[in-house]
Amino acid sequence: MIEDNINYEYIIRYLREMTDDKDALLREMRTYAEANEVPVSQRETSAFLQFLCAVKQPKRILEIGTAIGYSAIAMAKNCQAEIVTLERDEAMITTAKDYICRAGLENRITIIEGDATKTLSRVSGEFDLVFIDAAKGQYETFLNQITVSHGGILVCDNVLYKGMTATDELVVRRKITIVKRLREFLKELMNDENYVTSLLPLGDGVALACKKGCDKNE
């Protein structure tokens, strides 16, 4: 929805006209998401994520926040990666599994059920791409539990949070805690010497970080 975006409305409309899903199943999923108020990545953010997968060709992807499986399927259609995705909502999981089966991707996409702050401990190994699109107030917690491979990419969605992260003038009272935590998360990520990080005014704000190719002590 445009009200969830931080760009000018005319830019949003143009971007979305230019980035409509080419895949029939993804179009169906977005229609379902919009009709049922399911939070999925905005079209321009999804297009960027698919571009990263096409360029990077990751072998392993971790996604925090499956929802109905839209982003996982979009990523899988642009690379051959094994994808592990985490979701706590049972209804979302049921719908996601159906879409994943329809896409013929059940052998490459695995859903781990439960709260990510607890289930991440069950995820082992390094990932070439990590996409975080779950509880915004938990991004810092997620960051400290994931393992990104050297040269791997971390993508965090909604980090500007309707512009509230950037200015107190837009902050509403019920969102103060989330905004405070997002600011702390971004400060930590931007100052982490293990990553090269950029903040993009794309969609609702995207943090894009690349894990440096070697340890800083090497």
Side-chain angles (χ1 to χ4, degrees):
M1 293 184 290
I2 287 180
E3 59 266 26
D4 292 335
N5 202 294
I6 57 174
N7 268 312
Y8 293 110
E9 289 188 10
Y10 65 88
I11 293 177
I12 299 166
R13 291 192 183 95
Y14 179 74
L15 289 176
R16 293 184 182 178
E17 287 174 0
M18 298 297 289
T19 55
D20 195 19
D21 291 309
K22 300 179 181 66
D23 183 87
L25 181 61
L26 291 176
R27 287 199 303 272
E28 177 186 327
M29 293 177 73
R30 183 167 292 282
T31 298
Y32 174 92
E34 291 173 352
N36 292 275
E37 297 184 346
V38 175
V40 297
S41 296
Q42 297 178 23
R43 292 180 187 179
E44 57 272 34
T45 305
S46 177
F48 179 65
L49 192 62
Q50 292 178 60
F51 167 80
L52 289 176
C53 287
V55 171
K56 178 68 176 176
Q57 288 297 309
K59 294 180 179 179
R60 296 191 77 213
I61 295 175
L62 172 64
E63 177 186 49
I64 304 177
T66 312
I68 60 171
Y70 176 85
S71 293
I73 291 173
M75 289 188 288
K77 286 179 176 289
N78 287 276
C79 64
Q80 296 300 312
E82 166 201 347
I83 300 176
V84 177
T85 180
L86 283 58
E87 179 57 53
R88 65 182 182 182
D89 187 291
E90 292 182 3
M92 295 280 194
I93 292 168
T94 298
T95 303
K97 287 182 176 179
D98 178 62
Y99 278 126
I100 289 168
C101 286
R102 287 180 57 191
L105 293 168
E106 61 270 29
N107 292 328
R108 284 207 286 132
I109 301 176
T110 301
I111 300 176
I112 296 180
E113 303 179 20
D115 190 313
T117 59
K118 300 176 182 178
T119 58
L120 269 173
S121 61
R122 293 160 46 190
V123 177
S124 60
E126 297 182 337
F127 291 88
D128 307 307
L129 191 151
V130 177
F131 179 49
I132 302 179
D133 187 17
K136 313 311 168 190
Q138 298 296 330
Y139 276 23
E140 189 171 7
T141 300
F142 299 149
L143 177 64
N144 294 324
Q145 293 187 68
I146 62 174
T147 303
V148 181
S149 62
H150 293 309
I153 296 173
L154 170 64
V155 184
C156 306
D157 203 5
N158 306 112
V159 295
L160 295 181
Y161 206 56
K162 304 175 182 64
M164 287 186 276
T165 306
T167 176
D168 289 338
E169 294 178 4
L170 296 176
V171 178
V172 295
R173 182 177 295 276
R174 68 181 184 279
K175 302 295 186 180
I176 290 175
T177 299
I178 293 176
V179 172
K180 180 181 178 181
R181 289 180 178 177
L182 274 172
R183 288 173 177 173
E184 291 171 350
F185 161 73
L186 290 175
K187 183 177 181 179
E188 178 180 346
L189 183 60
M190 293 295 291
N191 288 289
D192 191 328
E193 295 183 4
N194 293 306
Y195 289 95
V196 177
T197 304
S198 178
L199 298 182
L200 307 177
L202 180 71
D204 195 25
V206 172
L208 181 65
C210 179
K211 185 76 171 288
K212 291 183 178 179
C214 61
D215 290 326
K216 61 183 179 180
N217 293 323
E218 291 181 353

